[in-house]
Amino acid sequence: MAMRGSPLRHQSFFAASIAADKLQFGKRPSRSYRQAKQSAYCSTILPKSYKPKHVMKWWQKVSQNFNADGIRLFAYIIGGHPELSMAHVTVPDIRWVDWHALKAAGFKGCVFDKDNTLTEPYALGIHEPLTGSMKQCMDAFDGHVALLSNSAGLQEYDPKGEEAASMEKALGVRVVRHITKKPAGDAVDLEKHFSCKAEELVMIGDRYLTDIVYGNRNGLLTIRPAPLTLEGEPSAVLLARRIEDHYVRKWTQHGIKAPKHPMVTSEEMLKSFVTEPKLW
């Protein structure tokens, strides 16, 4: 029977087990022995629900969270272009999106943010309640679905694509290789990846001033789900959320809406992209 408790506690048990082997053998077990034992231990002891986190070095976290282009674009938005931060569609989470309706409207692919849109922060597994909706999306768009991350696949952070490959294996979704962090940059890499125009793509992400601004600047239809959780997010991201939430509420009260999209002919059409899921 699998032991209960936190993964950290299980790691402590494993370390104690290795120490006992050292006393028995009179020397520290070889690296291959430790790796084999750890593999067997994790497969039998750790709970099946445990999902590894995407471990980042401290300098990688600093690099990911600092976004100079994003700061400059924020000033541009505040200075007179608030519509760029407004999503065409807002939903509690992706289960509320009607993927088949989007496909029927002529859209050819979906571009997702990762953290707090599909996964909890830095987790390497799609949030369990969202797996059904993600499968529906993959089916509706014949697999033309990808992640656009400000970490994995980004040239300055992941030049060899190793993090992107790891994420693709863990999530089962392709990761777009690109040069510039959201919200800056154009959609050339996206258009190359999907072999279609940017306006034929849907951008789905929880951050107004990165995902939504990027999508609107480049002509994508934008969908903003609420973040899955605020636990585990860096303080800089939490502060940025408070700022962007404040301004979006203010602009919403003033009637500011997302830029018009060439493939959307009416408000009723936008409403057709939302379906109330059977959650209860």
Side-chain angles (χ1 to χ4, degrees), residues 110 112 138 143 145-148 164 167-169 171-177 193-194:
C110 291
F112 285 89
M138 296 285 284
V145 176
L147 297 179
L148 185 66
M167 195 173 292
E168 288 173 337
K169 184 177 180 180
L171 300 179
V173 182
R174 294 289 303 276
V175 176
V176 178
R177 275 58 168 179
H193 181 93
F194 285 95

Side-chain angles (χ1 to χ4, degrees), residues 62-183:
V62 171
S63 176
Q64 182 184 6
N65 293 328
F66 180 73
N67 192 333
D69 289 330
I71 293 172
R72 285 192 289 270
L73 274 170
F74 177 63
Y76 174 76
I77 291 167
I78 292 291
H81 299 276
E83 71 280 357
L84 293 177
S85 65
M86 309 300 288
H88 293 102
V89 177
T90 301
V91 291
D93 61 56
I94 67 168
R95 290 173 293 182
W96 296 72
V97 180
D98 191 329
W99 305 112
H100 290 281
L102 286 166
K103 178 66 173 179
F107 292 97
K108 297 182 178 179
C110 291
V111 185
F112 285 89
D113 175 51
K114 175 187 172 290
D115 289 333
N116 254 331
T117 296
L118 292 179
T119 77
E120 295 182 5
Y122 306 115
L124 278 179
I126 294 175
H127 187 52
E128 185 64 30
L130 306 183
T131 54
S133 179
M134 194 60 185
K135 184 179 184 304
Q136 292 175 10
C137 179
M138 296 285 284
D139 291 343
F141 286 93
D142 299 320
H144 294 156
V145 176
L147 297 179
L148 185 66
S149 169
N150 271 356
S151 54
L154 180 66
Q155 188 172 27
E156 72 170 278
Y157 168 80
D158 185 23
K160 296 181 180 179
E162 295 173 348
E163 294 294 334
S166 175
M167 195 173 292
E168 288 173 337
K169 184 177 180 180
L171 300 179
V173 182
R174 294 289 303 276
V175 176
V176 178
R177 275 58 168 179
H178 58 115
I179 298 174
T180 310
K181 282 184 178 181
K182 298 172 292 185

